[in-house]
């Protein structure tokens, strides 16, 4: 399988989808234990949730699973959240802190996976951001994520429904952060936070350079907002999703409308 799927559009918005893929090469799958083979930490159905919300949006989607290698981690292996529980470039545990490997990868194997999967995804994402910026003078990367709302290993209590990440306001113009934050706060029946437990992964931090016309924001959704249950078989709830999609459409449309005023905004 190709490690990345690209759908090109003419909007200033690029949707990044690093964690929806479920492909695990046969030789790697054989080394995962039963827990790892469950692929529980997938951003289940996120590509379906966002599909068609913004005509003309470009999408860049990793087809491989994050247990193969995590496309939203620093390729050098540096932790995104020093001092906090998290998972690495190639996770050794799942989000509950449980081992997922019978035979963990060696350093050489991690590097081989970086070259085969991580690098092609980011080469494609960077190319699309540059193409869109050439068209509009600005590109807005909206990085799409989801996670279970209860994971004691990673955070206390219940995660808010909308988790906005801008690395403390550094990855995008303040107008973008404010617009998304306001829309989430106005979404009836949903909770939200900005730069809470999730402040934006490596993708958001790496590409978010407002002064260069590259804006980036991460949206981490609680999976309770669109799944029937946050457990296998991870069933997509069409009623929940239809309601949520209305708010997500408004967010993406608003960002697209903001784009012309954000060329080279610092």
């Amino acid at each position: 399988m190709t490690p990345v799927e690209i759908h090109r559009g003419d909007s200033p918005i690029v949707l990044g989808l690093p964690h929806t893929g479920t492909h695990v090469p046969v030789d790697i799958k054989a080394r995962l234990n039963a827990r790892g083979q469950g692929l529980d930490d997938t951003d289940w159905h996120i590509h379906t949730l966002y599909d068609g919300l913004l005509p003309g949006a470009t999408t860049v989607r990793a087809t491989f699973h994050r247990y193969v290698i995590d496309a939203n981690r620093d390729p050098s292996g540096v932790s995104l959240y020093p001092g906090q529980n998290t998972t690495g470039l190639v996770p050794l545990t799942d989000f509950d802190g449980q081992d997922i490997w019978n035979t963990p990868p060696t350093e050489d194997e991690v590097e081989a996976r970086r070259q085969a999967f991580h690098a092609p995804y980011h080469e494609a994402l960077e190319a699309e951001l540059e193409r869109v910026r050439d068209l509009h003078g600005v590109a807005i990367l909206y990085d799409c994520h989801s996670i279970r709302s209860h994971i004691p290993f990673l955070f206390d209590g219940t995660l808010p429904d909308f988790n906005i990440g801008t690395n403390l306001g550094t990855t995008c113009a303040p107008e973008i952060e404010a617009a998304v934050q306001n829309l989430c706060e106005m979404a009836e029946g949903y909770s939200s936070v900005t730069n809470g437990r999730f402040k934006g992964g490596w993708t958001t931090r790496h590409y978010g350079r407002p002064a260069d016309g590259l804006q980036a924001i991460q949206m981490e959704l609680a999976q309770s907002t669109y799944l029937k249950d946050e457990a296998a078989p991870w069933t997509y709830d069409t009623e929940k999703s239809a309601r949520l999609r209305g708010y997500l459409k408004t967010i993406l449309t608003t960002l697209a409308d903001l784009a012309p005023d954000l060329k080279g905004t610092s």
Side-chain angles (χ1 to χ4, degrees):
M1 290 184 66
T2 177
V4 57
E5 292 177 349
I6 304 164
H7 295 281
R8 292 185 176 92
D10 57 5
S11 162
I13 306 300
V14 177
L15 303 182
L17 298 156
H19 290 154
T20 68
T22 56
H23 175 63
V24 180
V26 173
D27 59 327
I28 296 177
K29 185 175 182 179
R31 299 172 67 171
L32 287 165
N33 62 25
R35 190 177 185 99
Q37 290 184 19
L39 307 181
D40 286 359
D41 298 333
T42 307
D43 290 13
W44 298 102
H45 308 294
I46 278 291
H47 55 303
T48 301
L49 184 68
Y50 280 94
D51 185 45
L53 289 183
L54 183 67
T58 294
T59 62
V60 180
R61 176 178 179 253
T63 61
F64 54 92
H65 194 264
R66 68 190 304 158
Y67 291 170
V68 176
I69 194 163
D70 193 328
N72 198 35
R73 294 293 184 270
D74 190 322
S76 73
V78 172
S79 176
L80 292 173
Y81 296 100
Q84 295 178 281
N85 288 338
T86 187
T87 53
L89 183 59
V90 173
L92 298 181
T93 70
D94 62 14
F95 288 162
D96 295 311
Q98 301 299 309
D99 291 339
I100 59 173
W101 296 98
N102 286 320
T103 308
T106 65
E107 289 185 9
D108 287 346
E109 288 167 337
V110 170
E111 174 57 18
R113 295 185 199 181
R114 187 195 67 76
Q115 294 181 27
F117 299 99
H118 190 285
Y121 174 77
H122 283 284
E123 288 168 3
L125 182 57
E126 183 171 11
E128 291 308 309
L129 287 168
E130 291 179 353
R131 180 185 66 83
V132 168
R133 182 178 58 179
D134 288 344
L135 284 174
H136 297 280
V138 63
I140 301 176
L141 171 62
Y142 180 100
D143 216 37
C144 309
H145 297 263
S146 74
I147 195 169
R148 286 176 285 143
S149 59
H150 295 272
I151 308 180
F153 182 70
L154 295 184
F155 50 81
D156 296 330
T158 302
L159 193 72
D161 298 319
F162 294 103
N163 298 267
I164 304 159
T166 65
N167 198 28
L168 304 178
T170 62
T171 66
C172 66
E175 295 94 326
I176 289 179
E177 181 180 286
V180 176
Q181 181 174 294
N182 290 340
L183 289 169
C184 290
E185 289 175 350
M186 290 189 297
E188 186 176 356
Y190 295 94
S191 56
S192 63
V193 68
T194 301
N195 293 312
R197 175 60 180 87
F198 299 103
K199 297 177 175 61
W202 185 77
T203 303
T204 304
R205 302 181 198 190
H206 179 67
Y207 294 106
R209 302 191 299 275
D212 297 331
L214 292 174
Q215 311 279 348
I217 188 167
Q218 176 176 298
M219 178 64 75
E220 186 89 55
L221 296 169
Q223 291 179 346
S224 57
T225 59
Y226 71 95
L227 296 183
K228 288 189 181 296
D229 295 293
E230 294 182 327
W234 313 103
T235 304
Y236 188 77
D237 188 312
T238 54
E239 185 174 341
K240 284 183 180 180
S241 298
R243 183 167 183 268
L244 180 60
R245 275 170 57 85
Y247 291 111
L248 295 174
K249 181 180 179 68
T250 300
I251 290 171
L252 295 180
T253 301
T254 299
L255 292 181
D257 290 343
L258 279 173
D261 298 325
L262 297 174
K263 299 176 183 180
T265 300
S266 60

